[in-house]
């Protein structure tokens, strides 16, 4: 069985973009692959976090993973910080990455270009830690949204470099982006990604938003004045985004939606999409509440941590041997 791995940072509340672009894929693939899914809390602290909020977001994230359908019997679910080998391998790979490569990473480049101050060294080197997360478990595939593809490509380069230098050590991973919904856009600014950090709350649907509020956000989504329903992200980004959200959650193809909405108005599309989002969030949140109430999260994490640690330790030992760290037989 091939291996698949992915992680999400527990920063801010999860959005519909996270669900459609990432979590949904994890659930779809869990039967076909050996899956590792983790909470990337070491990555979260690349920007300042309030410990109380971080704790709450972490719990919510795990509960939402489970509520979305991840089955702990099939998936190894763990906290990154519980498996200390990640930080160790992260350092080793930092020493096998170049400044130039890291300077090209969009996240760092954008923040620098905007003139942001207080950029931590961790934010700069974090793609090396991400490479460690992936290479530790010999992942064949890494399902991510398009914005993370670049990091998986860097991971491939680092892995190839390491293998060439020390002999076969790491499997070369491939990014896997969803065909539909790889990027969900802000409802208020449909050329920008729907993001946890967006300032205008009307642009973003949180997975824990009141379903009625979420429906209102869809109803007030920005569209255009062309008055025709087509899937064309360049000329009609707002309408295309709504079609994408509808299609991702309802399973109806974009073609079928477009033909069904011929001659209808934007209000019709919004009403139907709003209803689908309402039902989706209501079901998800009811499962989320059951999971929190069940008190099972601790046990699930403990088991995930044990399994991940075992595999990580084996890999790290191999790496240390290759590097010449091991002097005793
Ligand atoms: P982040 O919220 O940046 O930690 O991202 C967690 C995962 O969700 C990554 O795989 C992202 O690519 C994905 N993701 C985040 N926002 C979106 C979005 N608006 N559309 C699609 N995927 C997204
Ligand atoms: N960097 C990813 C993000 O910001 C989260 C992440 C950390 C991740 N390690 C990973 C994703 C390994 C996939 C594989 O969303």
């Amino acid at each position: 069985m091939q291996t698949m791995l992915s992680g999400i940072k527990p920063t801010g509340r999860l959005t519909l973009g996270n669900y459609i672009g990432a979590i949904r894929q994890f659930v779809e693939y869990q039967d076909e692959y050996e899956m590792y899914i983790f909470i990337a809390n070491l990555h979260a602290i690349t920007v300042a976090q309030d410990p109380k909020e971080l704790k709450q977001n972490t719990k919510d994230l795990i509960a939402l993973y489970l509520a979305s359908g991840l089955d702990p019997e099939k998936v190894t679910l763990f906290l990154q910080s519980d498996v200390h080998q990640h930080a160790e391998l992260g350092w080793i790979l930092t020493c096998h990455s170049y400044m130039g490569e890291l300077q090209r990473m969009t996240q760092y480049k954008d923040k620098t270009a905007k003139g942001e101050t207080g950029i931590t060294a961790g934010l700069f080197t974090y793609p090396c830690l991400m490479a460690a997360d992936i290479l530790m478990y010999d992942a064949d595939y890494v399902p991510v949204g398009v914005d993370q593809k670049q990091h998986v490509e860097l991971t491939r380069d680092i892995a190839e470099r390491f293998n060439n230098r020390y002999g076969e050590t790491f499997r070369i991973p491939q990014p896997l982006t969803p065909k539909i919904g790889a990027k969900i856009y802000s409802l208020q600014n449909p050329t920008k990604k729907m993001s946890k950090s967006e300032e205008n709350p009307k642009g973003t649907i949180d997975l824990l938003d009141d379903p009625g509020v979420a429906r209102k956000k869809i109803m007030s989504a920005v569209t255009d004045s062309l008055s025709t329903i087509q899937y064309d992200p360049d000329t009609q980004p707002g309408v295309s985004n709504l079609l994408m959200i509808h299609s991702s959650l309802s399973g109806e193809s974009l073609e079928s939606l477009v033909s069904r909405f011929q001659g209808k108005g934007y209000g019709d599309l919004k009403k139907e999409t709003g209803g689908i989002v309402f039902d989706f969030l209501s079901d998800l949140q009811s499962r989320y509440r059951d999971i929190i109430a069940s008190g099972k999260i601790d046990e699930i994490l403990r088991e995930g941590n044990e399994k991940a640690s075992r595999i990580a330790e084996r890999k790290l030992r191999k790496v240390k041997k290759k590097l010449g760290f091991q002097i005793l037989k």
Side-chain angles (χ1 to χ4, degrees):
M1 205 185 236
Q2 289 188 302
T3 301
M4 190 174 272
L5 169 142
S6 199
I8 296 192
K9 287 186 301 225
T11 49
R13 295 174 63 170
L14 282 183
T15 71
L16 196 59
N18 291 128
Y19 176 80
I20 295 175
I23 303 175
R24 195 173 53 119
Q25 272 63 245
F26 308 165
V27 176
E28 257 169 43
Y29 290 126
Q30 64 183 344
D31 293 319
E32 290 166 57
Y33 293 88
E34 171 79 29
M35 283 280 254
Y36 294 87
I37 298 291
F38 66 96
I39 317 293
N41 52 3
L42 295 178
H43 289 271
I45 59 165
T46 53
V47 293
Q49 298 295 325
D50 172 73
K52 248 198 207 142
E53 273 176 30
L54 185 63
K55 214 167 168 177
Q56 187 58 46
N57 287 333
T58 303
K59 280 192 190 148
D60 282 348
L61 181 50
I62 300 159
L64 282 168
Y65 269 151
L66 296 168
S68 302
L70 276 190
D71 178 352
E73 299 283 322
K74 297 179 186 155
V75 177
T76 307
L77 193 61
F78 63 99
L79 286 188
Q80 189 185 25
S81 60
D82 281 346
V83 184
H84 63 82
Q85 290 86 348
H86 284 240
E88 234 176 309
L89 183 60
W91 170 252
I92 292 169
L93 298 183
T94 305
C95 295
H96 290 80
S97 313
Y98 294 104
M99 297 289 287
E101 287 175 317
L102 297 177
Q103 274 156 354
R104 280 196 294 277
M105 295 295 116
T106 345
Q107 207 175 11
Y108 168 78
K109 234 168 59 181
D110 286 355
K111 289 207 184 215
T112 321
K114 274 193 226 151
E116 276 189 35
T117 51
I119 298 178
T120 66
L123 188 98
F124 181 64
T125 60
Y126 114 117
C128 306
L129 179 60
M130 179 157 164
D133 301 337
I134 297 170
L135 300 178
M136 189 77 93
Y137 303 92
D138 282 325
D140 295 285
Y141 295 102
V142 184
V144 283
V146 270
D147 59 326
Q148 292 295 323
K149 222 175 145 188
Q150 190 185 33
H151 294 145
V152 183
E153 271 146 19
L154 176 70
T155 302
R156 290 168 61 90
D157 293 343
I158 298 174
E160 275 165 10
R161 183 174 305 146
F162 198 100
N163 287 349
N164 286 336
R165 201 154 150 195
Y166 305 98
E168 207 54 32
T169 311
F170 297 123
R171 191 169 296 169
I172 311 297
Q174 283 184 51
L176 205 65
T177 42
K179 281 183 214 79
I180 295 180
K183 199 161 181 181
I184 299 297
Y185 294 88
S186 158
L187 299 171
Q188 289 299 313
N189 189 353
T191 53
K192 272 184 61 185
K193 184 178 118 160
M194 180 183 284
S195 150
K196 292 168 185 163
S197 52
E198 180 166 333
E199 269 142 40
N200 183 352
K202 282 173 81 182
T204 303
I205 291 182
D206 285 347
L207 293 179
L208 294 176
D209 267 350
D210 176 274
V213 171
R215 175 157 50 198
K216 281 203 191 112
K217 289 184 186 178
I218 295 278
M219 293 310 293
S220 60
V222 167
T223 48
D224 52 58
S225 52
L226 296 174
S227 298
T228 165
I229 296 179
Q230 300 178 85
Y231 182 75
D232 185 347
D234 291 332
T235 56
Q236 297 191 268
V239 171
S240 301
N241 195 37
L242 290 174
L243 286 168
M244 186 76 97
I245 291 172
H246 187 314
S247 172
S248 303
L249 297 181
S250 68
E252 187 172 347
S253 71
L254 290 170
E255 299 78 51
S256 157
L257 282 173
V258 167
S259 82
R260 201 156 58 69
F261 278 101
Q262 271 332 294
K264 294 196 175 157
Y266 291 166
D268 300 315
L269 174 63
K270 285 180 174 177
K271 213 163 153 194
E272 200 173 298
T273 308
I276 284 168
V277 168
F278 182 95
D279 290 345
F280 166 73
L281 290 184
S282 306
D283 289 350
L284 182 78
Q285 290 172 14
S286 132
R287 288 193 298 271
Y288 162 87
R289 284 189 293 271
D290 288 348
I291 287 157
I292 298 268
S294 76
K296 282 192 192 138
I297 289 181
D298 285 3
E299 181 58 24
I300 291 171
L301 284 183
R302 201 168 318 118
E303 281 178 16
N305 169 18
E306 270 170 29
K307 178 164 176 210
S309 296
R310 231 181 304 126
I311 292 165
E313 184 52 32
R314 210 185 305 145
K315 191 61 158 188
L316 192 62
R317 248 174 229 232
K318 186 170 174 185
V319 170
K320 285 180 168 173
K321 210 165 161 188
K322 298 256 179 190
L323 289 168
F325 284 176
Q326 196 191 14
I327 53 162
L328 300 173
K329 283 260 161 63

